[in-house]
Amino acid sequence: MNRVSSIGVIFVVLLLLFGPSGISGQSRPARDPRKLFEAGEAALHAGKLDEAERAFRQVLAINPGVAGAYANLGVIDMRRKQWPRALEMLHKAEKLAPDVAGIRLNIGLAYFRQNDFVRAIRPFESVVQQSPDSYQASYLLGLCYFFNDRWTDAIGTLRAPRASSSARPDSCRPSGRT
């Protein structure tokens, strides 16, 4: 057995802690948040949820004000059916980007998928108000009204998107995506 000097051990520990660039005083180059975000989106679209989550969390570590990273983390949690975490992430995204209808649509979907139709109404209403041509939001809002015995609202809401459904008969078919 060879003895290792304490200076050698200290050097190895420092090398492990700081890496070769840390000892010289230079920090490792930070990863580009845009590239990380794009990698996260690609992983999300490919169904690689763990990889996508890591990328979006790295983006937030660099810049905690990226609404899209929170929104995508919410989508990941929705796909995992982790509703409280999904809503937490989506509400953070909504605070950072209150004018993005897609975030509110996903908030409504998270409530809808938990059968909390009362809470789903407000986000769906706001999406329909901002984007009246949103077939998905209109349809889901109509269902929420129906499940809450708001018959007149349900009829009016469900009747409106019906006219546009003839142009897009499969637009309400589940796509498997959130």
Side-chain angles (χ1 to χ4, degrees), residues 124-143:
F124 287 148
E125 284 176 336
S126 72
V127 173
V128 170
Q129 184 177 23
Q130 182 178 347
S131 305
D133 60 337
S134 174
Y135 181 81
Q136 185 180 25
S138 295
Y139 182 76
L140 293 170
L141 176 59
L143 290 177

Side-chain angles (χ1 to χ4, degrees), residues 91-104:
H91 283 298
K92 285 181 180 182
E94 181 185 32
K95 283 182 183 175
L96 292 168
D99 295 331
V100 177
I103 294 170
R104 294 189 315 277

Side-chain angles (χ1 to χ4, degrees), residues 13-33:
V13 170
L14 289 174
L15 186 62
L16 290 173
L17 287 174
F18 300 107
S21 62
I23 292 174
S24 66
Q26 299 173 354
S27 62
R28 292 183 183 142
R31 296 209 44 197
D32 180 7

Side-chain angles (χ1 to χ4, degrees), residues 85-167:
R85 278 184 21 177
L87 285 165
E88 178 185 344
M89 292 296 113
L90 292 167
H91 283 298
K92 285 181 180 182
E94 181 185 32
K95 283 182 183 175
L96 292 168
D99 295 331
V100 177
I103 294 170
R104 294 189 315 277
L105 177 66
N106 279 329
I107 290 170
L109 281 168
Y111 287 125
F112 188 89
R113 292 206 175 140
Q114 296 177 82
N115 297 325
D116 191 344
F117 305 115
V118 171
R119 282 191 171 155
I121 288 174
R122 187 194 58 75
F124 287 148
E125 284 176 336
S126 72
V127 173
V128 170
Q129 184 177 23
Q130 182 178 347
S131 305
D133 60 337
S134 174
Y135 181 81
Q136 185 180 25
S138 295
Y139 182 76
L140 293 170
L141 176 59
L143 290 177
C144 288
Y145 287 149
F146 179 82
F147 295 141
N148 283 288
D149 300 332
R150 292 176 57 179
W151 313 115
T152 305
D153 292 329
I155 291 168
T157 305
L158 291 170
R159 188 174 283 160
R162 199 168 137 183
S164 65
S165 69
S166 62

